[in-house]
Amino acid sequence: MTNDGRRKATTVHGGWDDDELFDRAPAWAVPGEVVGERIGRVVFAVQSAVLLAVGIAGLVVAGGTFLGLRLNVPHAVLLLVTAGVVGGAVFASQKVIRTVLAVQTVVYLFVGAFGLAFAPTFLDLNGLDSLLHGVLFILGFIGAYVFAAGILEPGELGSDPSAS
C-alpha cells in the first residue's frame, strides 16, 4: 500500500515492453539453431567470396561481360560493397548479420525489380544480372530468417525476461 491508501503496482513479466520485445532463447533451446547458424555463416562467406571475384572482374572488364553478366563500374562497386559488408558481418553477432541480410534483401529486391521494369538502365543490366539480383534477394531473405530463429515473443516457452 502507498501512503494515500492505493495498492502498489506490481511488475508483470511477459508484457510487450521494450525490454522484452526481442528476448533470445539460449542457442541450445532452439532446435537446429547452432547448426543453422554455422551453415548460414559458411553460405554467406561463400556469397561474399563469389561477389568479390565478380566485382573485381567487373572493374577489370568495365563495360564488358563476365560469365554472361554485363558488368560496369557502378554495378561492380555495388557487388563489391555487398561482398565487403556481408563478409564482415559473417564474423559479427547474430543481430548484426541479421540486420545486414535484411538490408541486402531490401536492396536487391529494389535493384532486381528496377532492372526488370526498366530494361535500359544506367547499370545496363541483362537477364543474368536480374537473376543474380533475385538470388541475392532470396539468400538475404532466407538468411535473415535463419538468423532470427532464436527470437522469441515475450511469454513464450524459453523466453526469460530477466536474462537481458
Side-chain angles (χ1 to χ4, degrees):
M1 291 284 213
T2 61
N3 290 341
D4 59 356
R6 293 182 294 161
R7 289 178 34 177
K8 261 187 166 176
T10 59
T11 57
V12 177
H13 293 291
W16 283 98
D17 61 353
D18 290 336
D19 297 333
E20 300 175 9
L21 186 57
F22 292 112
D23 290 336
R24 288 208 45 89
W28 52 265
V30 180
E33 182 177 2
V34 174
V35 174
E37 179 183 345
R38 288 183 184 158
I39 291 171
R41 288 185 189 273
V42 169
V43 166
F44 291 106
V46 169
Q47 171 193 311
S48 295
V50 168
L51 290 181
L52 182 66
V54 172
I56 290 172
L59 292 177
V60 171
V61 298
T65 59
F66 176 73
L67 298 176
L69 300 169
R70 198 172 296 152
L71 297 169
N72 53 24
V73 174
H75 192 204
V77 168
L78 174 67
L79 296 177
L80 287 172
V81 167
T82 303
V85 172
V86 173
V90 164
F91 301 105
S93 68
Q94 280 189 341
K95 183 177 181 179
V96 171
I97 195 167
R98 187 174 54 243
T99 303
V100 166
L101 293 176
V103 170
Q104 173 181 321
T105 300
V106 171
V107 166
Y108 282 101
L109 172 66
F110 286 121
V111 170
F114 184 75
L116 289 173
F118 308 105
T121 64
F122 70 96
L123 291 176
D124 195 27
L125 303 174
N126 63 13
L128 281 178
D129 294 324
S130 295
L131 179 65
L132 171 69
H133 299 151
V135 167
L136 291 173
F137 159 73
I138 291 169
L139 274 175
F141 181 79
I142 291 171
Y145 183 81
V146 165
F147 283 101
I151 295 177
L152 299 174
E153 293 184 8
E156 273 190 55
L157 184 62
S159 139
D160 184 10
S162 63
S164 297

